[in-house]
Each structure stands twice: as structure tokens, then as C-alpha cells.
Amino acid sequence: IGGEVVQNASFTFLNAKPTYKGSYVRLVDFDNSELKRNKTLEAIQNPQCGWFYTANQKDFEKIPGSPIGYWVKNSIYRIFENSDKIQELGDVRQGLIPGNTIAFLRHWYEVNNLKIGYNSIQSSDIIKYKKRWFLYNKGGGYRRWYGNIEHIINLENDGYEIKYSGYNNNYRLRDPEYYFQTGLTWSKISSGRFSMRLMQRGCVFDIAGCSIFKLKDNEYILGLCNSKIIDIILELISPTLNYEVDHIKKLPVNSNVVFFDNIVLHVQHNISISKSDWDSRETSWDFQQNELIRCISNCSQNCADIDLLNNEDRDEILEIEKIPTDSNLLEDCYEAYKSKWTEMFFQLHRNEEELNRQFIEIYGLQDELTPDVPLEEITILQEETSIENGELVFHADEVFAQFVSYAVGCMFGRYSLDKPGLILANQGETLQDYLEKVGRGEEELTFVPDRDNIIPVLDDEWFRDDIVERFYTFLKASFGEENFRKNLDFVEECLGKDIRKYFTRDFYKDHIRRYKKRPIYWMFSSPKGYFNVLVYLHRYTPDTINRILNSYLKEFIEKLKMYRSQQEHIEVEGSVIEQNKARKEIDRINVMLEDCMQYETEILYPLATERIALDLDDGVLVNYNKLGSALALVDGLNDKKTKEKVRKFDWIDTSQIRD
């Protein structure tokens, strides 16, 4: 009935052997009570309607758990009779419960990178392995093949704090022998189809990211579990959206030597494509380089190689590979980016349909299933694209928001145009650390990071090193000065606005969303937002606020006063039109000055005198609230309700939390 109120329902129970078939009307696909009632009457009058079924209840016993699968055909019963179960081929495990998740879990990008154990280790070596944080699999949303591991857990000294902190009673560090092992994982709770992923060595797994270990054929099982075969099986044995360990244990596996190698190759390809997609975003710890920057690097190398060919071969390869002839044009690189990822998207789609075809044949379900996969169910490019009228459509605003985010990362030294991967990602690191890690002198750098870790984000060019000027420098460094204006126009066209408006209105909101309300670039902002500077959390020191105060805020106030004096002069000496415009500017500047001076005297100066230190191990939620109203207000991070929640944490010094 599916939860509908039933006024008249009749059930008959017989104390007898089940020697004849029962009759069933399947109503769960109909939306409301009246429709269900009408469909019931129709089924009684016409048993051939398509939702009237008869079934022998003895057949239900062939399915694990004996669900009342009255709609199931004999071919499904045969699958369970003739197949192994996953639990016979590997160890299916539920995973640990950390207890106080806020105290012991972080997103990987919140803490010192040097304190994270990324490498594969044995669970027995965890005490000897001098790290505090370890990769943590807690499920995540609908995604197939690879990804969804974004968190870390504090397992320092074999989880000493989890076990003995005194404020964590509801923990279960079960099955430690499986920690850091290669396996297959799925999300226990889902809002849609079942999806399974490869979990590489080095991860701990929890109750929401259940996993399978010690399988002989990981790729084959992964392909099966992401196929339509398992969809209809799980619909039968797990009718809710919770995929429990007991459900997965019972999944039927029919290994077929004829198709085996081909299936494994397709699955390996799918894992590779999905990993490339996952790692293309900077919220992956394996992120190396923005895709548009990678594109220009590849274009430059490809063009250099192609230039060695004769003209006829060169033109043919340029057409086939869609390689831009002018690699300094962002528009060309964007087209190459779309071409590359369109091919990968549809290759993944073809692979999934081919896997469905092979598994449908293996399980003999040609009459029940087709291999078709809707484009909407392909789980790469979920941020960058959408399916519209059956077509893959790229969202240029998202692609270039990622490009701008990477540019800001380079401004702070988190990333570099001279070396892929993370550069500065540990507390208090400096430009000197950057030079040592990149392995170049400052004069040899393609793009030099900000020296003092403070970048103004203002409505006009009040500082030479403000974020817009820094972006201009980055764009010239990465794509050349010759086409700078054309490239800037294209960036603004894709973002849908002037770059300064994007930085002042949209960038921080995008950063909050991208980093899931755990930002690593923090916006110091006056009460009305007329003064804003960005600071990279990992380069913050107890002197940072003092530098903001004395080198930026006070200087900004003086510049505003000088500008007001100029306008006051125009108000007296200028034409009537100029005078009217000057009066409006004076009124605007007075509001800005009042806002900035309040920020100076009531907020920033008191904080600067305290020389507040942060501990990255405490996480962004706690540290952000240590700086009170000096930082921009973010719902779910430092709003009044969240701040009160943080003040109740029993694992921190709550006296450090400021209004």
C-alpha cells in the first residue's frame, strides 16, 4: 500500500500447507489512495492489466530473507539458486563509529597536511606511524567507480583520544584488521540508485561507508554491483533506500569466464575516468592542476610535437585531436577541455551500457532488462554539466569559477604554476617555504605568491596588490600578455560579470559552497562590508591581524579621507554637475569611513592586541569562531545559532570563542 491510509482492507490467513498460489495487486507505483482503489477494482475485473500477480509463496524462500516478491519472475529465482553470494567470496564489513564526529572528524583540507597519513599502512603499524589524521570513508552521495572520500579521522596513537578522552562514549572501533586495506565501498544511506566505488589502500571506513574486503576479483564484483542486475535484486531484498551490510552479503554473483577479462578491462577504464574526474577538483587531495591550466600545458607540448610534422600531417592531427593552434587563448583551451571531457563522459556511458549488456546475458535477463543507461545516471562532471533535452551541456560559469579558485590558490601559494599539487598546506608556512618546495628562486617563478598572505578585496583599485590586480598578473603569467585583454573578456563572459564584481560579490560565497562551509581562505570583513581582505588559513600567524590593521585597514581609511578631500574640493570648485556628483560621493565615503573606523576601534584593534593563535587540529568550525565578528558572517559556520553550539563543545577551551 506504500503508507496510504486504508479504510477497508481484508487479509486471509490459512493454517495449511501452501499448495496453491496467492493473488496480489501491486499498487506502490500509483500516487494516491483514490487511484490505488480504482486500480484495484480494475485488476479484479482484468487480471491481465499488468499489476495483478499470482505467486507461490514457497518461491519466496528461494530469495535471502524470504521477501514477499510476488512480482518476481522465475528467471530471478534461478539467479539466487545458481549463484554464489558475495559473503562467500569476501568479507563484508560495517565499519567503525567514531562517536563524537565533530571532535574527531575533519575535511582533509582543514588541518596541517604533514599530519595526514595518506600512504598505505598496516593497521598494526598505526602507533609507529607518526601521524594524527588518517583518510576516512563515510559514504557520501550517489557516485560510481571512484571518489567520495573527503574526510579524515583522528586515530593518533591507535585512536587514544577516541577511546580515553572522557567525552566520547558512543564509539565502536570495530574490525581494525581491515583498516587501510583495498576494498569496495558503498553508501549505506542513499537518495537514489545503489552505487559502489573502489576504495584504495590507506582509508579507514565507517558505518555509513560500508565496505567489502578480501575479494579475489574486485573489478568484476564492482562492475556487477554498478549494473542493472543489482538494481532489481536490491529492489527485491532492500525495498527502502538503506543498503545494509546484510543486504549486500546476499547479492548473487555469477562469475563467467567468457566475459570476465572484458568486464575487468571496462571496469578499470571506468575507475580511471572517474578518478580523473574526482581529482580534477581542488577538494581532492590528489588534485594537481586546474584543468584549463593543464590544457594549455598539454596544448603547448602537443603543438611543439606537431610542429615537427609536415603540413599535411599537422593539419590532419589538429583536426582529429582538436588541438588549439593558439594555446594562449583561453577560449581555445575551454573548447579543448569540453572536447576532452565530452569524450570521457560518453566513453564512460558506453562502458556502463556494455557492462549491463554482458551481465544481462550472464544472468539470462534479456527479457526483463535492457542495457540502456540514462545520461543523468553518469556520475562524473556533476558540477560542470547537466543533461538538457538529452544533450550534455557544460556550465561555463562553474568551469571558470574553478579556474578563479585555482588562481586564488596560486596567489596564496597553496598551488603553483611551476609545480603541480599542494605546495603550502601547513600552519604558518611562508614564501621562503614556497621557494624551497618549488625548487626555484623568486626571480625564476612564473607567478609569485602574495608575500604577506593578505589580499584586499575591495570595490575599486585602492591597493596595488588587490585581488583583481593579482588576478590580472596570474592570467598574464599563465596565458601570456599578448592575448591578456581577450582572455580577460572571455573569463568575464563565462562568469557572467566583471571580474571585480565577481570577487566582491560571488567569490567568497562560491568558496564557502565549494569547501562545504569549511573555508580555507578567510574573509576579514567590516560590519557593512566596505573593507574586505582575504587570508589563507594555513599561513595565518598571531601577527596577521596586526598586519591587516596597520598595513591595510588604517591605510584604507587614510585613502578614503584623501579621496573625500578631493571630492570636497570639487564640491566647491567644480561645475554644477560635478558638484552634485561630488556630494553623493562624499556621502558614500562618509558611510564607508564610519564602517571602517568602527571595525578598527571595536573589532580589529582589540583582536590584534591579543595576538590570537590558531590550532589547525581544532578544525575550521572552532577556529573561525575564535576570531569573532572580525570575519564575514557565514550561516552554519559563525551565525548566532552555530556559535552557541560551538560554545557547548566539551573538547575545546570555549573561552576562546568570541562574539
Side-chain angles (χ1 to χ4, degrees):
I1 301 298
E4 298 287 343
V5 175
V6 183
Q7 293 179 334
N8 296 290
S10 176
F11 301 91
T12 301
F13 296 90
L14 299 180
N15 185 13
K17 293 182 179 180
T19 56
Y20 50 87
K21 294 182 178 181
S23 299
Y24 305 84
V25 181
R26 185 171 174 83
L27 301 176
V28 295
D29 298 326
F30 304 118
D31 292 337
N32 57 66
S33 297
E34 183 177 358
L35 185 59
K36 293 180 188 221
R37 180 176 61 85
N38 293 337
K39 293 296 182 180
T40 301
L41 295 175
E42 185 177 344
I44 293 171
Q45 297 167 359
N46 177 22
Q48 306 304 316
C49 62
W51 53 93
F52 181 89
Y53 298 85
T54 59
N56 188 329
Q57 76 176 55
K58 286 292 290 182
D59 288 334
F60 300 158
E61 298 173 8
K62 300 175 182 177
I63 304 173
S66 300
I68 305 177
Y70 56 84
W71 66 91
V72 174
K73 296 184 178 180
N74 288 333
S75 55
I76 302 295
Y77 292 128
R78 285 196 297 271
I79 288 175
F80 285 100
E81 290 177 317
N82 301 326
S83 302
D84 297 323
K85 297 183 179 64
I86 279 186
Q87 65 182 355
E88 298 167 356
L89 305 174
D91 296 343
V92 188
R93 291 293 181 267
Q94 193 171 50
L96 64 80
I97 300 173
N100 190 336
T101 57
I102 296 178
F104 299 114
L105 298 189
R106 302 281 182 271
H107 285 86
W108 71 269
Y109 43 76
E110 296 183 63
V111 307
N112 280 317
N113 197 54
L114 284 172
K115 290 189 175 184
I116 303 176
Y118 293 105
N119 298 327
S120 301
I121 66 171
Q122 298 295 327
S123 58
S124 58
D125 292 337
I126 194 168
I127 295 179
K128 294 184 291 184
Y129 202 75
K130 301 299 183 182
K131 300 292 182 180
R132 180 180 179 87
W133 302 95
F134 297 87
L135 299 178
Y136 188 67
N137 169 22
K138 63 191 302 289
Y142 174 60
R143 184 178 176 88
R144 292 199 288 256
W145 310 114
Y146 185 90
N148 275 12
I149 299 176
E150 305 171 289
H151 292 82
I152 50 179
I153 185 171
N154 178 2
L155 279 183
E156 188 175 26
N157 293 326
D158 198 27
Y160 182 87
E161 288 188 43
I162 291 178
K163 297 173 182 176
Y164 307 115
S165 61
Y167 50 80
N168 191 43
N169 298 320
N170 188 29
Y171 72 88
R172 299 287 186 277
L173 299 184
R174 56 166 72 98
D175 294 327
E177 66 271 23
Y178 296 99
Y179 296 175
F180 314 116
Q181 302 303 310
T182 300
L184 303 180
T185 184
W186 74 94
S187 302
K188 174 182 174 181
I189 301 173
S190 173
S191 58
R193 285 188 59 203
F194 179 76
S195 60
M196 186 171 279
R197 298 167 291 280
L198 174 70
M199 182 174 67
Q200 293 179 318
R201 286 182 63 86
C203 291
V204 183
F205 64 108
D206 86 348
I207 191 172
C210 308
S211 303
I212 313 172
F213 301 96
K214 297 186 178 180
L215 286 168
K216 181 181 178 182
D217 305 312
N218 270 325
E219 289 92 351
Y220 187 89
I221 301 300
L222 180 57
L224 169 64
C225 287
N226 281 332
S227 73
K228 282 188 169 183
I229 303 296
I230 297 307
D231 282 345
I232 63 170
I233 298 299
L234 284 174
E235 182 183 359
L236 178 61
I237 64 177
S238 176
T240 69
L241 294 179
N242 283 11
Y243 301 118
E244 304 285 355
V245 162
D246 283 345
H247 297 140
I248 306 305
K249 284 181 177 180
K250 300 168 185 173
L251 294 179
V253 179
N254 187 340
S255 296
N256 187 292
V257 293
V258 175
F259 293 95
F260 186 88
D261 289 343
N262 192 261
I263 286 172
V264 168
L265 285 174
H266 278 82
V267 171
Q268 289 173 341
H269 195 190
N270 292 353
I271 293 170
S272 176
I273 292 173
S274 297
K275 187 177 189 304
S276 295
D277 168 72
W278 183 259
D279 292 340
S280 70
R281 300 175 190 87
E282 61 187 64
T283 47
S284 163
W285 63 78
D286 271 339
F287 172 80
Q288 298 295 306
Q289 200 174 42
N290 175 264
E291 286 296 289
L292 295 176
I293 298 296
R294 186 192 298 274
C295 177
I296 191 174
S297 301
N298 292 342
C299 287
S300 299
Q301 183 59 52
N302 289 336
C303 288
D305 294 340
I306 290 170
D307 283 341
L308 300 176
L309 303 174
N310 62 52
N311 289 338
E312 183 176 342
D313 291 340
R314 180 180 183 275
D315 292 341
E316 181 179 354
I317 290 178
L318 288 173
E319 175 61 28
I320 294 173
E321 299 294 335
K322 297 182 173 58
I323 295 174
T325 55
D326 186 347
S327 61
N328 287 327
L329 280 178
L330 246 176
E331 185 172 5
D332 288 343
C333 280
Y334 179 51
E335 290 302 317
Y337 161 86
K338 290 193 293 183
S339 177
K340 166 191 170 181
W341 281 101
T342 297
E343 173 57 31
M344 291 175 74
F345 181 92
F346 284 104
Q347 182 61 60
L348 182 58
H349 182 254
R350 290 192 292 271
N351 288 353
E352 292 195 9
E353 291 197 330
E354 177 60 18
L355 286 170
N356 277 336
R357 186 191 67 77
Q358 294 185 30
F359 280 114
I360 287 171
E361 185 168 347
I362 290 170
Y363 283 80
L365 295 178
Q366 294 90 335
D367 294 337
E368 284 78 27
L369 294 173
T370 67
D372 303 332
V373 177
L375 294 179
E376 290 83 357
E377 292 182 4
I378 301 300
T379 56
I380 65 169
L381 299 176
Q382 292 184 313
E383 297 176 12
E384 299 84 357
T385 66
S386 59
I387 305 301
E388 299 176 14
N389 299 319
E391 300 289 333
L392 181 69
V393 177
F394 282 82
H395 303 308
D397 56 344
E398 169 60 25
V399 175
F400 279 86
Q402 293 179 16
F403 177 71
V404 171
S405 179
Y406 177 74
V408 173
C410 290
M411 294 176 201
F412 282 120
R414 182 172 177 84
Y415 308 113
S416 172
L417 290 176
D418 296 302
K419 184 178 180 180
L422 283 177
I423 309 298
L424 299 183
N426 299 295
Q427 190 157 7
E429 288 187 315
T430 64
L431 181 58
Q432 185 58 41
D433 295 308
Y434 179 92
L435 297 175
E436 292 175 4
K437 291 185 177 184
V438 172
R440 296 191 181 187
E442 186 171 341
E443 68 283 351
E444 300 174 299
L445 294 176
T446 305
F447 178 76
V448 182
D450 192 77
R451 189 173 299 277
D452 65 3
N453 189 40
I454 301 168
I455 301 179
V457 184
L458 301 169
D459 66 345
D460 210 338
E461 190 180 344
W462 296 95
F463 292 88
R464 285 191 307 167
D465 65 341
D466 84 333
I467 198 163
V468 174
E469 288 299 318
R470 296 291 290 156
F471 182 75
Y472 291 166
T473 304
F474 172 84
L475 196 55
K476 292 173 184 177
S478 54
F479 282 86
E481 294 196 32
E482 180 181 356
N483 294 311
F484 165 70
R485 179 49 57 181
K486 187 179 291 186
N487 286 332
L488 178 62
D489 289 344
F490 186 68
V491 171
E492 293 181 331
E493 177 187 336
C494 291
L495 291 174
K497 62 188 62 177
D498 169 85
I499 191 65
R500 187 171 294 278
K501 287 183 179 178
Y502 178 78
F503 275 120
T504 56
R505 299 179 184 181
D506 298 316
F507 172 77
Y508 200 54
K509 290 186 289 187
D510 176 79
H511 181 63
I512 296 295
R513 174 191 66 83
R514 194 172 303 283
Y515 282 78
K516 300 184 177 178
K517 297 191 177 181
R518 297 296 182 266
I520 57 173
Y521 312 133
W522 288 6
M523 183 78 82
F524 283 79
S525 183
S526 58
K528 293 183 179 178
Y530 289 108
F531 174 82
N532 301 286
V533 297
L534 276 179
V535 168
Y536 177 28
L537 168 63
H538 291 58
R539 291 180 62 191
Y540 171 93
T541 72
D543 294 321
T544 296
I545 297 177
N546 188 59
R547 289 199 202 99
I548 295 172
L549 174 65
N550 291 302
S551 300
Y552 292 89
L553 179 57
K554 287 184 177 181
E555 186 175 341
F556 184 52
I557 290 172
E558 290 305 311
K559 289 181 176 183
L560 288 174
K561 288 179 178 178
M562 289 176 59
Y563 181 63
R564 182 176 63 181
S565 296
Q566 295 171 3
Q567 296 301 308
E568 288 172 343
H569 178 74
I570 295 173
E571 186 182 21
V572 175
E573 301 293 339
S575 66
V576 174
I577 293 176
E578 290 173 337
Q579 288 177 351
N580 289 333
K581 185 178 179 181
R583 291 188 190 99
K584 292 180 181 178
E585 276 296 278
I586 291 169
D587 290 340
R588 184 177 75 90
I589 296 302
N590 284 336
V591 173
M592 293 175 68
L593 278 168
E594 182 182 0
D595 179 49
C596 292
M597 287 162 48
Q598 179 188 355
Y599 190 51
E600 176 191 7
T601 58
E602 297 181 12
I603 299 172
L604 218 55
Y605 177 76
L607 282 180
T609 59
E610 292 187 52
R611 299 189 73 252
I612 297 170
L614 303 177
D615 183 351
L616 295 190
D617 283 336
D618 286 342
V620 168
L621 178 61
V622 171
N623 283 319
Y624 203 87
N625 283 285
K626 290 179 182 179
L627 300 186
S629 54
L631 296 171
L633 182 65
V634 177
D635 286 340
L637 182 56
N638 66 333
D639 59 281
K640 183 177 180 181
K641 182 178 179 181
T642 304
K643 197 178 293 289
E644 289 305 310
K645 176 182 175 182
V646 173
R647 281 200 168 100
K648 294 178 182 177
F649 291 168
D650 54 5
W651 50 276
I652 63 169
D653 179 1
T654 55
S655 66
Q656 297 179 341
I657 305 304
R658 293 166 176 82
D659 290 324

